[in-house]
Amino acid sequence: MKMVRRFTGALAAAALMVAVPGAAIAGWKVMAPHQPVLVGKSTLKVTPGIEWNRSSARPGPSAEMWTVDGLALNELLFVGGVAPGATLIKDRHKKDRPLPRFAANMLAPDIVQLYEGTIRNAVATSLFEIDNVAPAKLAGHDGVHFTFHYAVQDEDLRRNGEARAAVIGGKLYLIAFQGPALHYFGAGIGEARAIMDSAAM
């Protein structure tokens, strides 16, 4: 397996910085190219075009993260089947900054706001902006596509991101890719879009 450097960033920080004391460091599993794989502990299936590394540290019960070069450089988040009343990732700071929760009647703008609120709260930043929102398909279902950029508070590094989401059977499914605007986002977004296009159920 390709060795992956561990970094903190975006949802990686939310998932890894509060690991159980004494627990083993997150491991990695290679996702082979051109092989369909179920993601997010759900029936959502994607087919990568290149080799990715899947982290064993999950940011939430129905979420998982993949990377090629390290989570701070390129991060692909899958969220599979979030039920009404649940959050996209584990609500680790619910007393100080509780995460927004999904509702089955959410429209496309609400889903975008749900994701934005999740990232803002998870990394405690006010530096998050949605750039574009448009209709899209995910796994053959009507959904939303949106782009965004953000920075962790008190850091100069801008990160760009792109996501697709859809409510299927009353549950929320989402795939989001993010990376530094300098090189890594542009280098990886083509493969990330192809994975989003491959999504099926």
Side-chain angles (χ1 to χ4, degrees):
M1 171 183 167
K2 183 192 302 182
M3 292 300 295
V4 184
R5 290 167 290 177
R6 297 193 315 276
F7 296 93
T8 56
L11 293 171
L16 303 180
M17 289 178 65
V18 288
V20 176
I25 294 175
W28 301 93
K29 182 177 180 181
V30 173
M31 299 290 100
H34 314 301
Q35 299 295 318
V37 59
L38 293 173
V39 293
K41 289 192 174 181
S42 71
T43 57
L44 184 65
K45 182 184 299 183
V46 300
T47 304
I50 62 173
E51 185 177 282
W52 287 77
N53 301 284
R54 179 168 67 185
S55 173
S56 64
R58 293 179 174 271
S62 60
E64 65 182 69
M65 296 179 296
W66 293 12
T67 186
V68 174
D69 302 297
L71 289 171
L73 300 180
N74 34 54
E75 177 186 307
L76 190 60
L77 171 72
F78 299 96
V79 179
V82 173
T87 56
L88 295 182
I89 60 174
K90 188 170 182 180
D91 199 354
R92 300 181 186 275
H93 303 283
K94 61 179 66 177
K95 290 184 179 179
D96 302 327
R97 48 180 197 272
L99 296 178
R101 296 179 179 273
F102 169 66
N105 62 351
M106 282 184 166
L107 302 177
D110 303 317
I111 293 171
V112 175
Q113 290 180 2
L114 173 69
Y115 183 82
E116 177 181 352
T118 297
I119 300 299
R120 282 181 179 271
N121 287 13
V123 300
T125 184
S126 61
L127 308 174
F128 189 108
E129 292 188 22
I130 299 295
D131 299 312
N132 187 55
V133 179
K137 294 281 188 179
L138 181 66
H141 295 263
D142 291 336
V144 62
H145 165 270
F146 56 98
T147 60
F148 56 90
H149 69 271
Y150 73 97
V152 176
Q153 206 77 32
D154 301 322
E155 290 187 6
D156 294 329
L157 180 65
R158 170 176 165 144
R159 298 178 186 278
N160 290 346
E162 187 166 320
R164 287 189 214 173
V167 178
I168 304 171
K171 295 183 178 181
L172 178 63
Y173 295 80
L174 179 142
I175 303 174
F177 176 76
Q178 67 89 19
L182 183 63
H183 176 70
Y184 284 97
F185 178 81
I189 188 57
E191 164 69 3
R193 287 172 180 161
I195 288 177
M196 295 177 191
D197 288 340
S198 78
M201 298 186 74

